[in-house]
Every structure is written in C-alpha cells, then in structure tokens.
Amino acid sequence: MKIEGVTVSGQTICFSSPIQMELCESFDTPASSLFVVFCIFWPLEELEKIIVKNNGEVVFDGYVDEQSTICDSSGVKIKISARSNAPLIDNEALPVTYIRPSVEDIYKNHLEPFGIKGVLGSGICQGNFTVSKGTCHWAVVDEFCKCVLNVSPKITKDGYLDTRHNVPNETPIVFSNESKGNCRYFSAQVKYKRYGVIGQMLYKVDPSQGYTGLQIDENAKKRKITIKRYLNLSGSQKWERQYRLQREFKKSLSGSCEVELLVPFDCFLKVGALASFYDKRLGEYKDFRIFHIEHIISNLGMHCNVILRPKEHF
C-alpha cells in the first residue's frame, strides 16, 4: 500500500507505513472517509489532498478535513482525517424548482461541476422537482433518484453516477470458507433487528379527510412485523406519493438484517457489489449487497470489516 499527500503548494509527499488507519466506505454516502496516523521526521505544511493506492490502483482520493501534528517523548506523529467527494456534501445547491427534469439535468447542475464524468442509467420526473434552501448537491441527487427513479444512487470508482437498478452480467462475490475460490473470512455474525421496521402505513392525500389509505409492506408481513405509522401526503404531488410511501418502508428496513464479516485486509471490494454468504453453521444468504467496508490498521494488526444487507433494502 502506498499513501501520498499533496500540500497546498502542490508538493507531493510520500508517507511511510501508517501506524494506524481506518478507511471506511458506505453505500449511503458518496464520501469515503480516511483517518490515518504516521510518524514523521520533518516539518510538514498544510495538506490539501491524500491518495491511497493498493497495487497501483487508487482506492482513496480525497480532500483533507483536518490534520494535527503531535510532538511528545515518543516522537512526532501526524493525524489526518479526509473524505473523498467532499465538495458534493459541503457545497449548498441553489434553491430552484425544476419542471420535468431528467436525471441528466440533475447530473449537469449538481455533479458535473465537481468532476463527476457522466450518468449510467436514465429517467425523467413526471412533474416538478423542488430543491429547498440548505440542501447540499448530493442530497439533491439522492432525493431525485430515490423519489423519481426508485433507486439508491452511487458514485462508481471511475467517477460516474450510477442510477441503474441492476448492473448487466453482475457476478456475485461469494463469502465462504467451505470451498476454494471464494472470499475467506475469519469470523461471521448474522444480525436481525425488528424494532423500527414499519409494517403498515396509514396515509392521507386530502387535508380535509383523515388517514384513510393503508399500505402494507410485504417484507415486514413475512417477518410478522405489524408496527404502524402515519404519513401525510396531502402536500405531495400525485406522481411522488407512492415513492414517498415506499421510501418510508425502505428507510425503516435499513440495518434490520445484516451479515457482518471479518475478512483479510487485502480484500479491496466494491460497495454495492452483489454478494452471497454461506457457512454450514449459520446458513446461506443470497441476493445481498455490500453495504459497508472498513479497512483497519492498528496495534492489533490489519483486517477488514464487511457488512452485507439484502439487496431489496438498498
């Protein structure tokens, strides 16, 4: 692994091996995060960027949020916190109401100025789409894709907005110690969470009437979950009401079923990738996706944490 820093004056610094590192990537945010600690032997000016490469492939390229240099009896250390795609979250979008915008329109106004290369997928809004004051650019993209396209967007490793429901010819990553050729793991944990999962949604579309509409989530029904919630849709446009209902159900499913794996550090996988897990003691879990990846270096060694969630929860 090779880690480089770029100073505000444009100088490139090659760091030694880190004494501590946490590199985290989650599906629900475009910004990967990095926390890293090095020993240094010379004064270091302010850093703008930090880049992590594994076997020549860039696995992190982000802007420094904070750096701190500490000098004590053990020597001099520098602590660095950074995020990739930070401008998408840090910059506020101009409040505006779009009339029947396409995903291409949203991309050009909210992602292209920050270096995102293009869009994978298509779609158009059947009505108006409003960007409220105080909304960051990524929140605009996320809301549009979930509300209009019914899909959770992500930024690919090569810098494209991916709004496709399915990736063509996608081969699942298999986590299993039962046979050769699969991704190995040191430990595994299967978790179910029932609290907070919505089973029924009562809603209203007319402000002068009560909550007369009812929708039942089939996923929760299979699990015999009957938690009830109310949703006021009277201020929503007709085209977005069903999307808002489905979004509330899907939000409540987040984290309700997970497979947590401890795998070798050198497993550099892609968040969002199709995956399955099999252990004869825990069972088989198919049609999952990678939700979270965390590479860790500490005084206890090097390892990688991976979290899988059912693909219908994305």
Side-chain angles (χ1 to χ4, degrees):
M1 178 177 289
K2 182 179 180 181
I3 303 178
E4 299 176 338
V6 180
T7 69
V8 292
S9 63
Q11 182 183 4
T12 298
I13 306 294
C14 291
F15 290 105
S16 58
S17 298
I19 57 176
Q20 184 180 349
M21 188 184 86
E22 294 178 11
L23 175 58
C24 303
E25 185 178 3
S26 292
F27 187 88
D28 57 356
T29 174
S32 302
S33 65
L34 175 70
F35 174 75
V36 64
V37 181
F38 301 99
C39 289
I40 60 172
F41 306 96
W42 65 91
L44 187 63
E45 67 172 303
E46 183 179 359
L47 293 167
E48 179 195 12
K49 298 191 71 178
I50 189 163
I51 301 162
V52 181
K53 296 179 182 179
N54 182 62
N55 294 326
E57 179 186 0
V58 175
V59 296
F60 180 86
D61 184 351
Y63 293 91
V64 173
D65 283 327
E66 186 176 344
Q67 73 182 73
S68 178
T69 306
I70 304 100
C71 181
D72 56 25
S73 58
S74 64
V76 182
K77 300 182 184 70
I78 184 168
K79 298 180 179 180
I80 302 169
S81 298
R83 290 173 299 153
S84 65
N85 292 317
L88 302 182
I89 297 173
D90 294 344
N91 286 282
E92 182 180 346
L94 177 70
V96 66
T97 295
Y98 292 102
I99 300 174
R100 291 177 57 84
S102 67
V103 67
E104 186 75 21
D105 296 326
I106 298 299
Y107 154 73
K108 286 183 177 179
N109 288 323
H110 300 281
L111 295 182
E112 190 177 47
F114 301 103
I116 304 303
K117 299 175 183 177
V119 181
L120 302 175
S122 61
I124 190 168
C125 179
Q126 298 304 312
N128 295 341
F129 182 79
T130 299
V131 177
S132 303
K133 174 73 174 70
T135 306
C136 72
H137 287 279
W138 178 252
V140 174
V141 176
D142 189 59
E143 179 76 13
F144 181 89
C145 291
K146 289 178 177 177
C147 194
V148 177
L149 307 180
N150 194 27
V151 67
S152 296
K154 64 177 183 288
I155 303 296
T156 65
K157 289 288 187 184
D158 50 355
Y160 287 84
L161 172 66
D162 193 348
T163 66
R164 298 171 295 179
H165 288 268
N166 294 293
V167 178
N169 304 317
E170 187 175 14
T171 302
I173 298 165
V174 180
F175 292 91
S176 179
N177 292 340
E178 305 297 329
S179 59
K180 294 181 179 180
N182 299 322
C183 286
R184 317 293 281 178
Y185 57 90
F186 303 122
S187 66
Q189 180 180 182
V190 178
K191 297 169 62 177
Y192 289 100
K193 183 192 75 175
R194 297 174 64 82
Y195 64 88
V197 177
I198 300 172
Q200 303 176 28
M201 189 78 72
L202 286 149
Y203 62 92
K204 69 175 179 179
V205 296
D206 188 333
S208 64
Q209 297 181 5
Y211 291 83
T212 56
L214 173 65
Q215 185 149 333
I216 297 173
D217 182 68
E218 291 302 319
N219 187 294
K221 184 178 179 180
K222 291 177 184 177
R223 297 171 64 184
K224 297 184 178 180
I225 295 174
T226 58
I227 294 173
K228 187 184 297 182
R229 292 287 186 270
Y230 294 86
L231 185 63
N232 186 353
L233 297 173
S234 60
S236 302
Q237 300 176 73
K238 288 183 178 180
W239 64 267
E240 67 175 323
R241 289 171 184 166
Q242 186 61 33
Y243 293 119
R244 284 194 59 193
L245 278 167
Q246 293 301 323
R247 182 178 176 187
E248 292 301 315
F249 282 123
K250 190 168 287 189
K251 280 168 58 179
S252 79
L253 286 172
S254 179
S256 66
C257 176
E258 292 184 336
V259 177
E260 295 187 3
L261 301 165
L262 184 67
V263 304
F265 182 85
D266 58 359
C267 286
F268 280 87
L269 307 168
K270 292 183 179 180
V271 162
L274 194 64
S276 65
F277 166 73
Y278 175 67
D279 185 296
K280 61 184 179 182
R281 299 161 298 177
L282 295 174
E284 186 172 21
Y285 297 82
K286 292 182 177 181
D287 294 327
F288 276 56
R289 290 193 181 277
I290 297 176
F291 176 77
H292 180 81
I293 302 173
E294 186 176 30
H295 289 87
I296 295 176
I297 297 175
S298 70
N299 57 359
L300 299 177
M302 302 166 62
H303 66 272
C304 177
N305 297 324
V306 177
I307 295 177
L308 311 180
R309 290 182 178 178
K311 69 177 185 179
E312 62 267 21
H313 292 191
F314 282 70

